[in-house]
Amino acid sequence: DGGITQSPKYLFRKEGQNVTLSCEQNLNHDAMYWYRQDPGQGLRLIYYSQIVNDFQKGDIAEGYSVSREKKESFPLTVTSAQKNPTAFYLCASSPSWGEAFFGQGTRLTVV
Amino acid sequence: KQEVTQIPAALSVPEGENLVLNCSFTDSAIYNLQWFRQDPGKGLTSLLLIQSSQREQTSGRLNASLDKSSGRSTLYIAASQPGDSATYLCAVRPTPTYGGSQGNLIFGKGTKLSVKP
């Protein structure tokens, strides 16, 4: 089955802890994205990558980091510098400028 | 800066009704526009993609139109069913700039649709 797989579905973070969200795609798409969704705020772009070993900051990159070592994978690390990380995180991929497809999301909660 | 607005924020209709969801954007320099559906607690499902050169796209009971010059798109749902209940999101991809990066999707906040049996 072709698609985008995000894991885990639910994640709990303690204060001061870094956590990593996984995103894998088998659609052979060049571009990958991370969005954050909060109630009433819509989707906001965290980071995006157009090509392996290259990525750019989105609108709310502070407190987050990413890597793109393989075309299929774009993991997102939520660092302790992110003061309000509780949110729903969505990963997407697309051919350059083409139709975007999303994963099922990871819900992160600070405990 | 590109802004995307979806009105109304919520809509409730009886089953069988035809309905229209609205999306407006402030900058007509877009490469394409995409409509998504999101069920509670789930990811986004792509419904329709309209390229900037197109006027409309159809998929089953769904028809999306695009008027770039006026900055508007509509999603028409025919013969609505309770299974259509979800939040519908509109997103535009700005035209890539010369020497710059590809335009990234900019989302509206969505319209929450409820179809009553």
Side-chain angles (χ1 to χ4, degrees):
Chain A
D1 252 334
I4 302 173
T5 302
Q6 290 188 240
S7 63
K9 188 173 181 180
Y10 299 97
L11 188 57
F12 299 91
R13 192 194 92 167
K14 295 180 181 179
E15 295 285 348
Q17 191 179 44
N18 292 354
V19 292
T20 297
L21 285 60
S22 171
C23 178
E24 303 277 334
Q25 55 102 357
N26 60 5
L27 301 169
N28 199 34
H29 287 167
D30 288 318
M32 296 188 75
Y33 317 81
W34 276 105
Y35 286 88
R36 171 178 170 147
Q37 188 176 35
D38 297 279
Q41 293 223 37
L43 275 74
R44 294 181 290 169
L45 182 66
I46 304 173
Y47 269 98
Y48 65 100
S49 168
Q50 300 178 66
I51 195 169
V52 174
N53 292 323
D54 186 51
F55 48 83
Q56 287 80 39
K57 293 181 179 180
D59 300 321
I60 56 166
E62 185 176 351
Y64 301 96
S65 66
V66 293
S67 63
R68 186 87 187 275
E69 297 176 1
K70 298 186 300 182
K71 187 175 186 178
E72 303 80 18
S73 179
F74 192 40
L76 173 74
T77 297
V78 184
T79 75
S80 56
Q82 171 50 241
K83 297 307 178 188
N84 184 23
T86 295
F88 191 50
Y89 290 86
L90 289 159
C91 177
S93 73
S94 73
S96 295
W97 311 321
E99 186 175 7
F101 294 90
F102 279 76
Q104 287 301 300
T106 293
R107 185 165 299 281
L108 174 62
T109 304
V110 175
V111 295
Chain B
K1 181 182 175 183
Q2 178 73 271
E3 292 184 2
V4 180
T5 303
Q6 293 186 247
I7 296 174
L11 181 64
S12 182
V13 300
E15 181 177 4
E17 192 163 297
N18 301 327
L19 60 100
V20 173
L21 306 180
N22 297 296
C23 172
S24 62
F25 46 95
T26 55
D27 188 342
S28 62
I30 65 168
Y31 191 82
N32 57 42
L33 182 147
Q34 199 167 349
W35 281 93
F36 296 89
R37 168 189 173 134
Q38 186 176 30
D39 294 292
K42 304 291 186 183
L44 276 63
T45 300
S46 179
L47 297 174
L48 288 163
L49 174 75
I50 310 179
Q51 301 294 348
S52 62
S53 58
Q54 296 176 317
R55 297 284 292 183
E56 65 178 71
Q57 280 283 7
T58 298
S59 176
R61 293 183 295 110
L62 305 179
N63 176 278
S65 68
L66 174 64
D67 184 342
K68 240 179 54 165
S69 59
S70 67
R72 301 173 75 125
S73 176
T74 62
L75 179 66
Y76 174 83
I77 302 177
S80 59
Q81 304 170 358
D84 295 329
S85 298
T87 297
Y88 290 80
L89 294 147
C90 163
V92 300
R93 190 187 291 277
T95 301
T97 55
Y98 178 77
S101 61
Q102 64 166 294
N104 291 296
L105 287 172
I106 299 171
F107 283 84
K109 293 184 178 180
T111 294
K112 185 174 182 179
L113 174 65
S114 177
V115 181
K116 304 294 186 183

